[in-house]
Amino acid sequence: MYIQDLSKFEGQVVVLKGWVANRRDSKGLVFINLRDGSGMCQCVADEQKISAEAFANAGKLSLESAAEISGTVVKDDRQIGGYEIQITDLKVIQFAEEYPIAKKEHGIDFLMDKRHLWLRSQRQWAIMRVRNTIIFSIHQFFQKEGFVQMDAPIFTGNACEGTTNLFETDFYGDPAYLSQSGQLYGEAMAMAFGKIYTFGPTFRAEKSKTRRHLSEFWMIEPEVAFMDIHQNMDLIEGFLQYVIKAVLDNCQNELKVIGRDTAVLESSLHKFPRLTYDEAVAIIKGEKDVNGQNSIKSLEAALQEVEATIAAHTKEIEEREAKIAVPGMKKGEINFNQTKIAALKNELKDLEEQQRNIPQWIQSAKNFEYGNDFGGSDETVITRLYNSPIMVYDWPHAVKAFYLKRNPEDERFARGVDVLAPEGYGEIVGGGERETDEQKLRDKIIEHELPMEAFEWYLDLRKYGSVPHAGFGLGLERLVTWLCQLKHVRESIPFPRMYGRLLP
Ligand code: 4AD
Ligand code: MG
């Protein structure tokens, strides 16, 4: 019996097993917020209606104590989940020790140290359930499209995405790398099975702390024989929209808990704009407008707005603090003002961060050097102008991976595509059409100073029935982060691994 199924048992007595998320006592009554993993519900113990022992125990339940609660299911629209339990019996499974995560605000480092417990909180619960829906819908999409799910190895003998962020391990005395991407194996599997996808952990040593980088993350990598760059973009768009729709259809409650405004997700169900690198650069530099919006001018306007809001917030905080300082204010009113002040200060932190960031974005947009890859700020500058993901394709070949095919009409460009998510999130997908010519690949491998021996098996694919093919890689955590509108990728995975974080 789980809380998520309560609606089927209205009026009946059920037995729930769970943990105490909150307890409130009033005269003759104890209110327990019970969570059981599937949901949360209020359970009411009435002194008149249960044994003295059960009532006494109810009143002693500390946060995160475990209990078995029997009671009648009563419809109550004011309650989370829409139902309440009127307790008929209560058995304590364990009285918990004092729980370290209190209701007051904790710093992020503390919460990350307590990640094994923090996962129990309602917001984390909601995020992980969205993640689950995303994973399930990814499999649904590819399975219904006839793809075969296959697994690439994690120990690898060659780099796929450059050598700067490899994790090296010892493989029976030989060096081996933890996989950065299953793609090269995906290509071999696509030549055997036509349409495949891999879905596995990938590893990149990113020795810096950013909002977007994990050292261990999960990647979905479809690879399709006889597919070109444009069909690849069709596939990416259909795929991402399927997943976004699944989240909108199945996770309304979770999105509400997270506080996610879903307007951008809805507008992402329309076609994603497709821009060449050249077009994207012109937009970033402010040489070309998007729907009447200019990147630089809109950033300058945003900065002014941020500064005005900072001034207004600062003034309001001062006023409220002055009011509290005057003796005689009622306790309730003091509390009310203090809560407001805390909320304003919280918003100020974000605003001040924007105040620091926007001038940097303006500078890097103005100074963007044609031919470079996009950095995080370039991605932010361009995606701010859209209300759906955009796809940027045909990149200068020098800045992209060795395996990408050149545009036959203009050899300066490689047929890579990046999907950039709106609202400042940036790259969530990288992919492209693959080089089919053995000699061109050999030249690139030499140019990138990669060890040829390790790629001989890969080059075999170009000797025996080499065909046009393409694919992409979606970073699962980047997608979860965007869909849940998280500030940092670390909250998108149960136990993040990143620079400086190996425990818990
Ligand atoms: O753009 P990337 O490096 O592309 C590849 O690895 C290709 N081999 C994929 C393919 O075509 N089969 O990585 C793909 C995606 C990125 O767009 C991003 O979403 C995610 O993987 N990603 C990371 N996510 C979290 N932390 C990191 N350090 C990431 N690095 C890449
Ligand atoms: Mg990339």
Side-chain angles (χ1 to χ4, degrees):
M1 178 70 218
Y2 285 98
I3 289 170
Q4 66 185 2
D5 300 321
L6 283 181
S7 64
K8 294 177 207 149
F9 295 88
E10 194 179 334
Q12 298 177 41
V13 173
V14 297
V15 182
L16 295 173
K17 290 179 187 167
W19 298 264
V20 176
N22 192 26
R23 198 197 79 220
R24 193 162 52 82
D25 306 336
S26 84
K27 207 173 173 326
L29 296 171
V30 175
F31 300 91
I32 297 160
N33 273 353
L34 193 78
R35 55 164 199 90
D36 73 347
S38 80
M40 180 112 80
C41 108
Q42 174 164 285
C43 305
V44 187
D46 183 337
E47 196 170 12
Q48 308 293 318
K49 293 184 184 151
I50 58 173
S51 72
E53 192 198 349
F55 188 75
N57 277 337
K60 281 190 286 189
L61 285 172
S62 48
L63 223 52
E64 290 303 320
S65 289
E68 181 181 307
I69 288 179
S70 312
T72 314
V73 182
V74 180
K75 188 153 178 55
D76 184 346
D77 289 330
R78 293 165 309 174
Q79 298 301 331
I80 18 164
Y83 292 88
E84 183 179 88
I85 301 289
Q86 291 178 351
I87 302 180
T88 53
D89 196 15
L90 181 146
K91 292 195 190 93
V92 177
I93 298 170
Q94 195 225 5
F95 282 115
E97 292 177 26
E98 192 181 339
Y99 195 58
I101 303 180
K103 272 205 223 84
K104 70 174 176 85
E105 290 249 340
H106 290 292
I108 187 66
D109 287 331
F110 175 85
L111 290 170
M112 288 304 294
D113 287 341
K114 296 275 178 276
R115 183 65 173 167
H116 50 297
L117 302 176
W118 187 27
L119 277 175
R120 302 179 185 193
S121 78
Q122 227 202 343
R123 183 178 157 82
Q124 300 305 315
W125 172 88
I127 295 168
M128 290 305 135
R129 288 182 50 109
V130 172
R131 180 182 165 106
N132 173 62
T133 296
I134 292 173
I135 293 171
F136 185 60
S137 64
I138 287 169
H139 283 293
Q140 274 183 320
F141 175 84
F142 286 119
Q143 294 292 332
K144 104 181 152 45
E145 295 290 324
F147 285 64
V148 180
Q149 201 246 316
M150 299 186 80
D151 304 304
I154 289 171
F155 285 119
T156 60
N158 50 266
C160 177
E161 296 298 326
T163 50
T164 52
N165 58 12
L166 284 170
F167 273 112
E168 194 173 320
T169 69
D170 176 293
F171 192 74
Y172 307 115
D174 281 329
Y177 310 110
L178 299 184
S179 176
Q180 296 166 305
S181 157
Q183 180 198 318
L184 304 185
Y185 300 95
E187 290 183 49
M189 296 188 284
M191 296 307 127
F193 295 83
K195 301 198 269 191
I196 67 98
Y197 69 109
T198 63
F199 193 159
T202 44
F203 305 86
R204 295 192 191 180
E206 309 274 4
K207 235 179 166 180
S208 63
K209 295 185 176 171
T210 79
R211 292 159 180 268
R212 301 176 182 190
H213 290 91
L214 291 166
S215 306
E216 176 180 301
F217 60 98
W218 289 72
M219 190 154 33
I220 296 87
E221 294 183 271
E223 193 69 32
V224 182
F226 307 105
M227 189 168 80
D228 69 14
I229 177 83
H230 302 287
Q231 293 165 316
N232 196 25
M233 288 194 273
D234 294 341
L235 178 67
I236 295 173
E237 184 178 276
F239 162 66
L240 285 177
Q241 292 186 340
Y242 184 88
V243 175
I244 294 168
K245 187 152 188 319
V247 168
L248 285 170
D249 287 349
N250 298 296
C251 300
Q252 281 300 328
N253 181 29
E254 286 83 353
L255 294 171
K256 209 178 287 160
V257 168
I258 298 165
R260 203 322 170 209
D261 173 358
T262 56
V264 175
L265 305 187
E266 305 276 357
S267 58
S268 296
L269 299 178
H270 304 298
K271 252 190 139 7
F272 300 170
R274 297 179 190 188
L275 314 167
T276 61
Y277 173 84
D278 279 10
E279 289 170 316
V281 170
I283 291 167
I284 290 173
K285 292 176 78 74
E287 294 160 3
K288 191 180 166 202
D289 290 358
V290 178
N291 301 325
Q293 280 215 84
N294 179 275
S295 67
I296 309 278
K297 283 186 197 134
S298 83
L299 280 169
E300 285 164 353
L303 182 60
Q304 276 187 0
E305 204 182 304
V306 164
E307 282 173 344
T309 317
I310 289 177
H313 277 28
T314 312
K315 186 158 167 262
E316 189 178 340
I317 291 170
E318 278 166 12
E319 283 168 4
R320 287 187 189 276
E321 276 172 346
K323 266 204 263 173
I324 295 177
V326 179
M329 187 185 268
K330 286 212 188 84
K331 207 174 161 217
E333 211 178 326
I334 293 179
N335 277 343
F336 174 81
N337 276 297
Q338 278 172 337
T339 314
K340 279 266 183 216
I341 290 169
L344 286 166
K345 283 188 173 165
N346 224 354
E347 275 180 45
L348 263 188
K349 263 192 241 154
D350 284 354
L351 288 162
E352 281 161 0
E353 196 183 331
Q354 289 186 44
Q355 189 186 25
R356 285 191 300 274
N357 284 339
I358 296 176
Q360 292 176 19
W361 295 340
I362 294 174
Q363 275 317 307
S364 76
K366 281 184 176 164
N367 301 335
F368 183 86
E369 231 174 274
Y370 181 88
N372 282 353
D373 203 351
F374 292 175
S377 51
D378 307 311
E379 292 176 0
T380 303
V381 169
I382 188 165
T383 53
R384 282 180 75 254
L385 305 172
Y386 296 89
N387 63 357
S388 77
I390 61 172
M391 298 200 259
V392 181
Y393 68 101
D394 273 3
W395 293 77
H397 72 87
V399 298
K400 288 288 179 191
F402 77 93
Y403 50 70
L404 286 175
K405 185 181 175 67
R406 299 287 184 94
N407 178 352
E409 273 141 43
D410 190 341
E411 290 266 318
R412 290 175 302 157
F413 299 104
R415 306 230 89 167
V417 52
D418 278 5
V419 178
L420 310 180
E423 303 174 293
Y425 284 93
E427 183 187 338
I428 53 172
V429 167
E433 190 174 335
R434 319 307 185 189
E435 183 53 72
T436 47
D437 182 79
E438 182 185 345
Q439 193 50 49
K440 283 190 177 155
L441 276 173
R442 284 195 190 273
D443 295 345
K444 269 285 177 186
I445 290 170
I446 292 165
E447 188 188 312
H448 284 244
E449 296 179 352
L450 297 165
M452 191 67 75
E453 331 73 75
F455 290 91
E456 287 299 339
W457 70 267
Y458 179 70
L459 293 164
D460 266 0
L461 304 174
R462 274 57 179 180
K463 294 180 189 159
Y464 309 109
S466 187
V467 302
H469 62 291
F472 64 88
L474 164 75
L476 174 65
E477 288 74 21
R478 294 264 181 101
L479 183 63
V480 175
T481 301
W482 171 48
L483 295 187
C484 293
Q485 209 173 15
L486 308 179
K487 288 205 183 122
H488 195 296
V489 70
R490 67 188 154 215
E491 276 185 65
S492 67
I493 182 166
F495 292 97
R497 293 292 170 255
M498 50 198 191
Y499 187 51
R501 173 68 56 191
L502 188 60
L503 286 173

